[in-house]
Amino acid sequence: MSPMLQDKVAIITGAGRGIGRAYALRFAREGAKVVIAEVLLENAQKVAREIEAAGGTAIALQTDVSQETSTNEMAKKTVERFGKIDILVNNAAIYYGLPRKPWHTWTVEEWDRIFAVNVRGVWLCCKAVAPYMQQQKKGKIVNIASGTASGTPGATQRLHYATSKGAVITMTRLLARAMGEHNICVNCIAPGATMTEASLAGLDAGGSASLKSSTAQARCIKREEVPEDLVGAAVFLSSEDSDFVTGQILPVDGGSWLR
Ligand SMILES: NC(=O)c1ccc[n+]([C@@H]2O[C@H](COP(=O)([O-])OP(=O)(O)OC[C@H]3O[C@@H](n4cnc5c(N)ncnc54)[C@H](O)[C@@H]3O)[C@@H](O)[C@H]2O)c1
């Protein structure tokens, strides 16, 4: 089978660890040149080295998605290095170790910090790559939301995070409308609770075991979700196989939430 993303140039934000890292490794195996746009430079460099060691092509760019100068620089440096931008995966978010607290106890500062990265960051990255995609009259944007935006039990305890992911879903639909005339597809993946360092951080051993078993039991497919469960959907939505799919939200969660 031929690689699905041969010679495509893909920016993946927040790909220094967790699910973003899994996207980056797989995109490189599918023939893409990968830009790891990550606020933690050392992590980004580590993933880029992993890709290079396996025979792929990748660069690490220190990027803070919440800052417009940084996202513009991300797009500019990508084009300087690889000549174009075909794919943007908006994976970066503040999620690591978010505690669970009653919804009214979060502070304004905590609320704003989540929205600056998880919502403004997605918008700024789209804004930065759009001129390049429009110029080539083609592009793929894959946003990452979350099952929490559908009102999963427990999401009230991270109200700001779940609401930010709801905004990502709305932005996906509206940007699909706005960019369709340029042949740019904008879609979204909504992962279920996935076993990453970030989702387990902050939970003690007991909490972690109970989260794992309760989420697995609520699914049609009764097992834990791992980062590799998400990569097939991301590759499909970034490939030419999905050229007539836009504005869609694809839950990848083993059937946790059936509508
Ligand atoms: N793990 C889950 O259970 C789960 C479930 C649903 C959705 N998601 C979403 O999937 C994505 C990845 O989740 P993960 O579990 O791998 O989390 P993670 O925290 O390991 O990954 C997020 C990455 O984004 C980076 N980042 C944070 N702020 C940034 C900024 N301002 N600029 C650039 N990079 C920044 C982090 O350094 C990290 O590498 C996130 O969007 C998350 O909300 C995760």
mmCIF file of all heavy atoms in Angstrom, residues 185-219:
data_model
loop_
_atom_site.group_PDB
_atom_site.id
_atom_site.type_symbol
_atom_site.label_atom_id
_atom_site.label_comp_id
_atom_site.label_asym_id
_atom_site.label_seq_id
_atom_site.Cartn_x
_atom_site.Cartn_y
_atom_site.Cartn_z
ATOM 1 N N CYS A 185 -10.221 21.748 3.696
ATOM 2 C CA CYS A 185 -11.129 20.971 4.541
ATOM 3 C C CYS A 185 -10.773 21.204 6.011
ATOM 4 O O CYS A 185 -9.598 21.152 6.384
ATOM 5 C CB CYS A 185 -10.981 19.483 4.260
ATOM 6 S SG CYS A 185 -11.364 19.027 2.566
ATOM 7 N N VAL A 186 -11.791 21.443 6.811
ATOM 8 C CA VAL A 186 -11.569 21.636 8.254
ATOM 9 C C VAL A 186 -12.444 20.629 8.996
ATOM 10 O O VAL A 186 -13.676 20.682 8.903
ATOM 11 C CB VAL A 186 -11.919 23.072 8.704
ATOM 12 C CG1 VAL A 186 -11.506 23.287 10.165
ATOM 13 C CG2 VAL A 186 -11.265 24.112 7.803
ATOM 14 N N ASN A 187 -11.815 19.712 9.680
ATOM 15 C CA ASN A 187 -12.547 18.688 10.413
ATOM 16 C C ASN A 187 -12.012 18.587 11.835
ATOM 17 O O ASN A 187 -11.040 19.254 12.198
ATOM 18 C CB ASN A 187 -12.419 17.339 9.692
ATOM 19 C CG ASN A 187 -13.209 17.328 8.394
ATOM 20 O OD1 ASN A 187 -14.436 17.368 8.400
ATOM 21 N ND2 ASN A 187 -12.496 17.314 7.254
ATOM 22 N N CYS A 188 -12.642 17.726 12.618
ATOM 23 C CA CYS A 188 -12.300 17.667 14.038
ATOM 24 C C CYS A 188 -12.413 16.228 14.542
ATOM 25 O O CYS A 188 -13.329 15.498 14.148
ATOM 26 C CB CYS A 188 -13.306 18.559 14.773
ATOM 27 S SG CYS A 188 -13.085 18.659 16.537
ATOM 28 N N ILE A 189 -11.477 15.865 15.390
ATOM 29 C CA ILE A 189 -11.551 14.564 16.064
ATOM 30 C C ILE A 189 -11.897 14.834 17.527
ATOM 31 O O ILE A 189 -11.327 15.736 18.147
ATOM 32 C CB ILE A 189 -10.192 13.829 15.980
ATOM 33 C CG1 ILE A 189 -9.877 13.482 14.523
ATOM 34 C CG2 ILE A 189 -10.186 12.572 16.852
ATOM 35 C CD1 ILE A 189 -8.472 12.934 14.322
ATOM 36 N N ALA A 190 -12.819 14.053 18.058
ATOM 37 C CA ALA A 190 -13.156 14.159 19.483
ATOM 38 C C ALA A 190 -12.714 12.872 20.176
ATOM 39 O O ALA A 190 -13.435 11.864 20.139
ATOM 40 C CB ALA A 190 -14.647 14.390 19.655
ATOM 41 N N PRO A 191 -11.520 12.879 20.767
ATOM 42 C CA PRO A 191 -11.047 11.662 21.441
ATOM 43 C C PRO A 191 -11.832 11.401 22.725
ATOM 44 O O PRO A 191 -12.324 12.332 23.362
ATOM 45 C CB PRO A 191 -9.579 11.982 21.800
ATOM 46 C CG PRO A 191 -9.223 13.243 21.075
ATOM 47 C CD PRO A 191 -10.524 13.968 20.839
ATOM 48 N N GLY A 192 -11.925 10.139 23.083
ATOM 49 C CA GLY A 192 -12.418 9.791 24.416
ATOM 50 C C GLY A 192 -11.262 9.873 25.400
ATOM 51 O O GLY A 192 -10.137 10.223 25.019
ATOM 52 N N ALA A 193 -11.522 9.536 26.657
ATOM 53 C CA ALA A 193 -10.451 9.552 27.666
ATOM 54 C C ALA A 193 -9.356 8.583 27.227
ATOM 55 O O ALA A 193 -9.623 7.394 27.036
ATOM 56 C CB ALA A 193 -11.008 9.154 29.017
ATOM 57 N N THR A 194 -8.166 9.120 27.012
ATOM 58 C CA THR A 194 -7.072 8.351 26.423
ATOM 59 C C THR A 194 -5.928 8.262 27.422
ATOM 60 O O THR A 194 -5.607 9.251 28.087
ATOM 61 C CB THR A 194 -6.587 9.059 25.133
ATOM 62 O OG1 THR A 194 -7.722 9.249 24.290
ATOM 63 C CG2 THR A 194 -5.544 8.245 24.394
ATOM 64 N N MET A 195 -5.329 7.106 27.508
ATOM 65 C CA MET A 195 -4.272 6.902 28.505
ATOM 66 C C MET A 195 -2.983 7.583 28.069
ATOM 67 O O MET A 195 -2.189 7.016 27.323
ATOM 68 C CB MET A 195 -4.049 5.401 28.742
ATOM 69 C CG MET A 195 -5.230 4.716 29.403
ATOM 70 S SD MET A 195 -5.708 5.541 30.952
ATOM 71 C CE MET A 195 -7.401 5.957 30.619
ATOM 72 N N THR A 196 -2.795 8.816 28.512
ATOM 73 C CA THR A 196 -1.538 9.534 28.278
ATOM 74 C C THR A 196 -1.013 9.989 29.633
ATOM 75 O O THR A 196 -1.754 10.012 30.625
ATOM 76 C CB THR A 196 -1.738 10.778 27.387
ATOM 77 O OG1 THR A 196 -2.610 11.695 28.055
ATOM 78 C CG2 THR A 196 -2.311 10.432 26.025
ATOM 79 N N GLU A 197 0.242 10.390 29.604
ATOM 80 C CA GLU A 197 0.872 10.961 30.796
ATOM 81 C C GLU A 197 -0.009 12.102 31.332
ATOM 82 O O GLU A 197 -0.199 12.261 32.527
ATOM 83 C CB GLU A 197 2.205 11.523 30.312
ATOM 84 C CG GLU A 197 3.276 11.758 31.322
ATOM 85 C CD GLU A 197 4.435 12.522 30.659
ATOM 86 O OE1 GLU A 197 4.782 12.221 29.501
ATOM 87 O OE2 GLU A 197 4.964 13.415 31.314
ATOM 88 N N ALA A 198 -0.556 12.912 30.401
ATOM 89 C CA ALA A 198 -1.334 14.094 30.786
ATOM 90 C C ALA A 198 -2.619 13.709 31.502
ATOM 91 O O ALA A 198 -3.002 14.342 32.492
ATOM 92 C CB ALA A 198 -1.665 14.915 29.543
ATOM 93 N N SER A 199 -3.317 12.677 31.002
ATOM 94 C CA SER A 199 -4.599 12.353 31.617
ATOM 95 C C SER A 199 -4.413 11.650 32.965
ATOM 96 O O SER A 199 -5.279 11.717 33.819
ATOM 97 C CB SER A 199 -5.478 11.520 30.676
ATOM 98 O OG SER A 199 -4.812 10.391 30.233
ATOM 99 N N LEU A 200 -3.269 10.992 33.130
ATOM 100 C CA LEU A 200 -3.060 10.277 34.388
ATOM 101 C C LEU A 200 -2.380 11.145 35.442
ATOM 102 O O LEU A 200 -2.440 10.837 36.629
ATOM 103 C CB LEU A 200 -2.237 9.007 34.131
ATOM 104 C CG LEU A 200 -2.972 7.993 33.232
ATOM 105 C CD1 LEU A 200 -2.087 6.801 32.915
ATOM 106 C CD2 LEU A 200 -4.271 7.514 33.886
ATOM 107 N N ALA A 201 -1.752 12.269 34.999
ATOM 108 C CA ALA A 201 -1.044 13.130 35.951
ATOM 109 C C ALA A 201 -2.039 13.698 36.962
ATOM 110 O O ALA A 201 -3.127 14.115 36.606
ATOM 111 C CB ALA A 201 -0.356 14.270 35.215
ATOM 112 N N GLY A 202 -1.640 13.707 38.182
ATOM 113 C CA GLY A 202 -2.514 14.309 39.186
ATOM 114 C C GLY A 202 -3.484 13.326 39.811
ATOM 115 O O GLY A 202 -4.062 13.613 40.842
ATOM 116 N N LEU A 203 -3.645 12.144 39.189
ATOM 117 C CA LEU A 203 -4.514 11.139 39.820
ATOM 118 C C LEU A 203 -3.641 10.191 40.630
ATOM 119 O O LEU A 203 -2.579 9.785 40.160
ATOM 120 C CB LEU A 203 -5.232 10.311 38.743
ATOM 121 C CG LEU A 203 -6.313 11.009 37.936
ATOM 122 C CD1 LEU A 203 -6.739 10.117 36.779
ATOM 123 C CD2 LEU A 203 -7.514 11.308 38.817
ATOM 124 N N ASP A 204 -4.087 9.840 41.823
ATOM 125 C CA ASP A 204 -3.304 8.855 42.568
ATOM 126 C C ASP A 204 -3.607 7.467 41.994
ATOM 127 O O ASP A 204 -4.457 7.315 41.108
ATOM 128 C CB ASP A 204 -3.602 8.926 44.073
ATOM 129 C CG ASP A 204 -5.074 8.691 44.369
ATOM 130 O OD1 ASP A 204 -5.753 8.069 43.533
ATOM 131 O OD2 ASP A 204 -5.536 9.142 45.428
ATOM 132 N N ALA A 205 -2.901 6.457 42.489
ATOM 133 C CA ALA A 205 -3.042 5.124 41.908
ATOM 134 C C ALA A 205 -4.493 4.653 41.948
ATOM 135 O O ALA A 205 -5.017 4.110 40.971
ATOM 136 C CB ALA A 205 -2.149 4.144 42.644
ATOM 137 N N GLY A 206 -5.203 4.925 43.049
ATOM 138 C CA GLY A 206 -6.601 4.496 43.181
ATOM 139 C C GLY A 206 -7.481 5.210 42.172
ATOM 140 O O GLY A 206 -8.291 4.601 41.478
ATOM 141 N N GLY A 207 -7.312 6.544 42.064
ATOM 142 C CA GLY A 207 -8.108 7.357 41.134
ATOM 143 C C GLY A 207 -7.875 6.921 39.715
ATOM 144 O O GLY A 207 -8.793 6.833 38.897
ATOM 145 N N SER A 208 -6.626 6.642 39.397
ATOM 146 C CA SER A 208 -6.266 6.239 38.048
ATOM 147 C C SER A 208 -6.933 4.908 37.688
ATOM 148 O O SER A 208 -7.506 4.752 36.617
ATOM 149 C CB SER A 208 -4.742 6.152 37.994
ATOM 150 O OG SER A 208 -4.339 5.350 36.972
ATOM 151 N N ALA A 209 -6.878 3.945 38.620
ATOM 152 C CA ALA A 209 -7.477 2.638 38.351
ATOM 153 C C ALA A 209 -8.985 2.770 38.170
ATOM 154 O O ALA A 209 -9.573 2.161 37.271
ATOM 155 C CB ALA A 209 -7.167 1.681 39.506
ATOM 156 N N SER A 210 -9.628 3.624 38.989
ATOM 157 C CA SER A 210 -11.078 3.721 38.873
ATOM 158 C C SER A 210 -11.483 4.473 37.599
ATOM 159 O O SER A 210 -12.464 4.135 36.954
ATOM 160 C CB SER A 210 -11.673 4.317 40.149
ATOM 161 O OG SER A 210 -12.003 5.647 39.987
ATOM 162 N N LEU A 211 -10.679 5.487 37.199
ATOM 163 C CA LEU A 211 -10.974 6.188 35.937
ATOM 164 C C LEU A 211 -10.878 5.219 34.767
ATOM 165 O O LEU A 211 -11.751 5.158 33.908
ATOM 166 C CB LEU A 211 -9.982 7.345 35.748
ATOM 167 C CG LEU A 211 -10.106 8.087 34.422
ATOM 168 C CD1 LEU A 211 -11.325 9.014 34.430
ATOM 169 C CD2 LEU A 211 -8.866 8.905 34.103
ATOM 170 N N LYS A 212 -9.799 4.419 34.782
ATOM 171 C CA LYS A 212 -9.591 3.473 33.683
ATOM 172 C C LYS A 212 -10.763 2.504 33.579
ATOM 173 O O LYS A 212 -11.288 2.258 32.511
ATOM 174 C CB LYS A 212 -8.302 2.669 33.907
ATOM 175 C CG LYS A 212 -7.040 3.453 33.642
ATOM 176 C CD LYS A 212 -5.857 2.547 33.897
ATOM 177 C CE LYS A 212 -4.547 3.271 33.751
ATOM 178 N NZ LYS A 212 -3.405 2.415 34.062
ATOM 179 N N SER A 213 -11.174 1.948 34.725
ATOM 180 C CA SER A 213 -12.196 0.919 34.614
ATOM 181 C C SER A 213 -13.570 1.533 34.335
ATOM 182 O O SER A 213 -14.329 1.003 33.538
ATOM 183 C CB SER A 213 -12.215 0.017 35.843
ATOM 184 O OG SER A 213 -12.854 0.676 36.879
ATOM 185 N N SER A 214 -13.898 2.712 34.900
ATOM 186 C CA SER A 214 -15.243 3.265 34.648
ATOM 187 C C SER A 214 -15.386 3.732 33.202
ATOM 188 O O SER A 214 -16.419 3.517 32.582
ATOM 189 C CB SER A 214 -15.584 4.389 35.624
ATOM 190 O OG SER A 214 -14.697 5.460 35.437
ATOM 191 N N THR A 215 -14.352 4.348 32.625
ATOM 192 C CA THR A 215 -14.493 4.798 31.234
ATOM 193 C C THR A 215 -14.531 3.595 30.300
ATOM 194 O O THR A 215 -15.309 3.574 29.346
ATOM 195 C CB THR A 215 -13.361 5.759 30.801
ATOM 196 O OG1 THR A 215 -12.132 5.201 31.158
ATOM 197 C CG2 THR A 215 -13.486 7.128 31.404
ATOM 198 N N ALA A 216 -13.731 2.594 30.564
ATOM 199 C CA ALA A 216 -13.719 1.411 29.692
ATOM 200 C C ALA A 216 -15.088 0.725 29.730
ATOM 201 O O ALA A 216 -15.624 0.318 28.700
ATOM 202 C CB ALA A 216 -12.612 0.451 30.109
ATOM 203 N N GLN A 217 -15.675 0.627 30.912
ATOM 204 C CA GLN A 217 -16.969 -0.074 31.041
ATOM 205 C C GLN A 217 -18.094 0.675 30.338
ATOM 206 O O GLN A 217 -19.061 0.075 29.878
ATOM 207 C CB GLN A 217 -17.318 -0.302 32.522
ATOM 208 C CG GLN A 217 -16.558 -1.459 33.166
ATOM 209 C CD GLN A 217 -16.498 -2.697 32.269
ATOM 210 O OE1 GLN A 217 -17.514 -3.192 31.790
ATOM 211 N NE2 GLN A 217 -15.289 -3.190 32.001
ATOM 212 N N ALA A 218 -17.973 2.004 30.225
ATOM 213 C CA ALA A 218 -19.044 2.796 29.593
ATOM 214 C C ALA A 218 -18.989 2.733 28.066
ATOM 215 O O ALA A 218 -19.873 3.239 27.392
ATOM 216 C CB ALA A 218 -18.938 4.252 30.063
ATOM 217 N N ARG A 219 -17.951 2.114 27.524
ATOM 218 C CA ARG A 219 -17.796 2.069 26.052
ATOM 219 C C ARG A 219 -18.444 0.828 25.450
ATOM 220 O O ARG A 219 -18.587 -0.190 26.126
ATOM 221 C CB ARG A 219 -16.300 1.997 25.698
ATOM 222 C CG ARG A 219 -15.578 3.264 26.012
ATOM 223 C CD ARG A 219 -14.121 3.195 25.564
ATOM 224 N NE ARG A 219 -13.567 4.525 25.662
ATOM 225 C CZ ARG A 219 -12.463 4.851 26.322
ATOM 226 N NH1 ARG A 219 -11.736 3.923 26.899
ATOM 227 N NH2 ARG A 219 -12.076 6.098 26.382
#
